[in-house]
Amino acid sequence: EANGGDRYDRVNWRGPVALGGGGDAGGVAESWRRTAEAAVHIPMVAGAESLNAAVACGILLFEIRRQRGPT
């Protein structure tokens, strides 16, 4: 979420997770929003409008992997 949900690095990503993403302008599909248990955001510097969806996904996947540690 651009302006809502929990900060991505304060979420416990160690359990099962499904990530839903959408276009940069439209965001996540309404069907995903209705079924989601939680929403997260990635903080940005003042004046930044949005992150590319692929970049945002990469940041989230990196954090998930970091929390889960080496395998």
Side-chain angles (χ1 to χ4, degrees):
E1 292 290 335
N3 298 305
D6 296 318
R7 189 175 149 139
Y8 81 101
D9 57 349
R10 295 184 181 151
V11 172
N12 180 351
W13 295 102
R14 290 179 183 92
V17 64
L19 296 176
D24 297 341
V28 177
E30 186 58 34
S31 59
W32 274 81
R33 289 178 191 269
R34 284 193 306 270
T35 59
E37 293 181 17
V40 299
H41 74 274
I42 300 168
M44 297 183 294
V45 297
E49 290 184 20
S50 68
L51 287 174
N52 173 280
V55 171
C57 185
I59 292 168
L60 295 176
L61 290 173
F62 179 87
E63 179 62 16
I64 292 167
R65 182 68 180 107
R66 185 190 71 77
Q67 286 189 23
R68 293 180 181 193
T71 57

